[in-house]
Amino acid sequence: MIFRQLFDSESSTYTYLLGDESTGQAVLIDAVMEQVDRDLQLVRELDLTLTHVFDTHVHADHVTASGVLRTRTRCTVVGGVGGAACADVQVRHGDHLRIGALDFQVLATPGHTDDSVSYFLGDRVFTGDALLVRGNGRTDFQNGDASQLYDSVTRVLFGLPDTTLVYPAHDYKGRTVTSIAEEKRHNPRVAGKSREEFIRIMEHLDLPKPKKLDVAVPANRACGLTASSPSSSPHH
Amino acid sequence: MIFRQLFDSESSTYTYLLGDESTGQAVLIDAVMEQVDRDLQLVRELDLTLTHVFDTHVHADHVTASGVLRTRTRCTVVGGVGGAACADVQVRHGDHLRIGALDFQVLATPGHTDDSVSYFLGDRVFTGDALLVRGNGRTDFQNGDASQLYDSVTRVLFGLPDTTLVYPAHDYKGRTVTSIAEEKRHNPRVAGKSREEFIRIMEHLDLPKPKKLDVAVPANRACGLTASSPSSSPHH
């Protein structure tokens, strides 16, 4: 398997490229609009064909590249049910997505947003904003729900093997990966915390509104292609 | 093996933590002064003991954390011969460094600076600024030498197996890793380029002087501990 973690410094977003060497098929997870050229160049240089883009949820902090990538490569756009209506495939808990020999299992992990899903692949899981390194996504918009997120983290994700590597959608301190075992022990909001304590923490974060919220959410519901976008031509 | 890639966004530096699970010993490669607390916290949380810090060379773009880490943890500081005189161990091509079960092989890869070394460990190599993702470090100070760097890249590093993962000291576009095969094919300064073409490219980069050069190089020759540093107390 080819695996590459990529970072967008403006939004502190991690994008992941996974390629199956036997078929040459590849998927990008949580691709960022501004990085389309970088990412497609890497796909080409690795002799891969982009067949899928997965979003973990409708993002509020950056515009997804999924629509532009679909226009440019004819790839299939995948998102969680209830998320972006423009997605070609809307997945539910327990669904499988096969990219050549790579078999991703979809885990519903709502709470940051109602459409949040994680993609589990053998020894690693791509958690979006449901579980971050020593943190988790906020729960105060897009139908966020702290109680639901507590279940997503402690029941769904912490039910994975301890050694599972956790690749998040963001980090703001230069950390690139964590593991289920690490977060069980060291996540300051969840480790040893009851549901009530977690809800109280989430209710008192007092975070400013994301700068891009009003632009990013409507754009991302349309796979990043808004009426004003130069790349908004209809896809295949 | 425990492996973590860490990023300092101010200097775009990658630091690497490698831990041997059997003995609990760990090494940091190219640690950054400003990230000492983050890095030591991670070492602790992973139940590791920091026994070594490796520098790939005397850096010009950030201040090494090696001296502070030695003061705080009594770890052994390792650098290339001809580099920081404060290092406990000055290594040469062909030397081995054992951190528990991890056996690092030292490769002399001069040219960016005269003291540059790479650390090779099985399926991966830590190349400092000798080889970057689709690039390489500049050669216009600290006894840099483009002809020497051409040999370091094309003879020493490209002599490693094609599948070897290359972990550089920096990237400025959010790329985290590459491979020997990728760089052989796609490195724009080296792939298909003669020594003379490479030297010409390096002579005409016309780069500004690194902002931190005058501070970082003297500091790093003292393992980051200068007379004015609050952490400059003598080590063990």
Side-chain angles (χ1 to χ4, degrees):
Chain A
M1 181 177 79
I2 290 172
F3 176 67
R4 291 290 184 273
Q5 184 172 25
L6 298 151
F7 187 61
D8 174 62
S9 59
E10 212 252 308
S11 61
S12 295
T13 301
Y14 286 118
T15 296
Y16 300 94
L17 172 67
L18 295 104
D20 169 41
E21 286 164 298
S22 61
T23 62
Q25 286 181 265
V27 55
L28 282 165
I29 300 178
D30 287 339
V32 173
M33 179 70 96
E34 288 80 1
Q35 303 290 353
V36 163
D37 290 332
R38 175 196 67 185
D39 296 352
L40 285 180
Q41 183 178 343
L42 183 58
V43 167
R44 266 195 313 275
E45 289 178 349
L46 293 170
D47 296 324
L48 295 169
T49 301
L50 189 72
T51 58
H52 291 75
V53 187
F54 298 170
D55 270 310
T56 53
H57 63 293
V58 171
H59 306 277
D61 41 15
H62 71 270
V63 175
T64 180
S66 61
V68 172
L69 289 167
R70 180 166 59 186
T71 304
R72 288 177 58 174
T73 71
R74 300 185 170 267
C75 66
T76 298
V77 173
V78 176
V81 69
C86 56
D88 299 298
V89 180
Q90 296 205 333
V91 289
R92 293 175 188 278
H93 189 83
D95 285 352
H96 284 257
L97 294 155
R98 291 190 180 79
I99 314 292
L102 309 180
D103 182 359
F104 292 86
Q105 186 183 341
V106 177
L107 306 172
T109 49
H112 166 60
T113 67
D114 53 1
D115 67 313
S116 291
V117 293
S118 297
Y119 299 97
F120 176 54
L121 178 74
D123 64 348
R124 64 197 72 193
V125 62
F126 303 91
T127 54
D129 292 5
L131 181 59
L132 306 174
V133 183
R134 311 295 187 264
N136 57 267
R138 60 199 292 176
T139 55
D140 55 340
F141 52 73
Q142 286 179 271
N143 301 321
D145 183 316
S147 180
Q148 205 174 39
L149 183 55
Y150 187 80
D151 286 337
S152 292
V153 171
T154 62
R155 296 187 182 180
V156 179
L157 294 170
F158 285 1
L160 298 175
D162 271 0
T163 53
T164 307
L165 293 169
V166 173
Y167 286 101
H170 301 284
D171 194 78
Y172 305 93
K173 296 184 182 175
R175 300 163 301 189
T176 56
V177 66
T178 180
S179 72
I180 293 296
E182 272 182 66
E183 295 309 314
K184 278 183 179 173
R185 284 183 59 192
H186 300 297
N187 189 299
R189 296 181 186 166
V190 180
K193 297 284 196 295
S194 69
R195 176 187 307 272
E196 290 66 35
E197 289 173 292
F198 179 75
I199 293 171
R200 207 173 311 129
I201 291 168
M202 296 309 296
E203 277 174 351
H204 291 87
L205 290 181
D206 207 21
L207 295 169
K209 192 173 121 173
K211 276 179 291 184
K212 295 197 177 181
L213 180 71
D214 297 333
V215 172
V217 171
N220 289 333
R221 291 201 185 281
C223 293
L225 300 178
T226 55
S228 61
S229 161
S231 312
S232 61
S233 54
H235 67 276
H236 58 286
Chain B
M1 180 178 80
I2 290 171
F3 176 68
R4 292 290 184 273
Q5 184 172 26
L6 299 151
F7 186 62
D8 174 63
S9 59
E10 212 252 308
S11 61
S12 295
T13 301
Y14 285 120
T15 296
Y16 300 94
L17 172 67
L18 295 104
D20 170 40
E21 286 165 297
S22 61
T23 62
Q25 287 180 264
V27 56
L28 282 165
I29 300 179
D30 287 338
V32 173
M33 178 70 96
E34 289 79 2
Q35 302 291 353
V36 163
D37 291 333
R38 177 196 66 185
D39 296 352
L40 285 180
Q41 182 177 344
L42 182 58
V43 167
R44 268 196 311 276
E45 289 178 350
L46 293 170
D47 296 325
L48 296 170
T49 302
L50 189 72
T51 59
H52 291 76
V53 188
F54 299 170
D55 270 310
T56 54
H57 62 293
V58 171
H59 305 278
D61 41 14
H62 71 273
V63 176
T64 180
S66 61
V68 172
L69 289 167
R70 181 166 59 185
T71 304
R72 287 175 60 172
T73 70
R74 299 185 171 268
C75 66
T76 298
V77 173
V78 176
V81 69
C86 57
D88 300 297
V89 180
Q90 297 205 333
V91 288
R92 294 176 187 276
H93 190 84
D95 285 352
H96 285 257
L97 294 155
R98 291 190 179 78
I99 316 291
L102 310 181
D103 182 359
F104 292 86
Q105 186 183 339
V106 177
L107 306 172
T109 48
H112 166 59
T113 67
D114 53 2
D115 67 314
S116 291
V117 293
S118 297
Y119 299 97
F120 176 55
L121 178 75
D123 64 348
R124 62 197 73 192
V125 62
F126 302 91
T127 52
D129 292 4
L131 181 59
L132 305 174
V133 183
R134 313 292 188 267
N136 57 268
R138 60 199 292 176
T139 54
D140 54 340
F141 52 72
Q142 287 178 272
N143 302 320
D145 183 317
S147 182
Q148 205 174 37
L149 184 55
Y150 187 80
D151 286 337
S152 292
V153 171
T154 61
R155 295 189 183 179
V156 179
L157 294 170
F158 285 1
L160 299 175
D162 270 1
T163 54
T164 306
L165 293 170
V166 173
Y167 285 101
H170 300 284
D171 194 79
Y172 306 92
K173 295 184 182 175
R175 301 162 301 187
T176 56
V177 65
T178 181
S179 72
I180 293 297
E182 271 181 67
E183 295 309 313
K184 278 184 180 174
R185 285 182 57 192
H186 299 298
N187 189 299
R189 295 182 186 165
V190 180
K193 296 283 196 296
S194 69
R195 176 187 308 271
E196 291 65 37
E197 289 172 292
F198 180 76
I199 293 171
R200 207 172 312 130
I201 292 168
M202 296 309 295
E203 278 175 351
H204 291 87
L205 290 180
D206 207 20
L207 296 169
K209 192 173 120 174
K211 276 179 292 185
K212 295 196 177 182
L213 179 70
D214 296 336
V215 172
V217 171
N220 289 333
R221 292 202 184 280
C223 292
L225 300 178
T226 55
S228 61
S229 162
S231 312
S232 63
S233 55
H235 68 276
H236 58 285

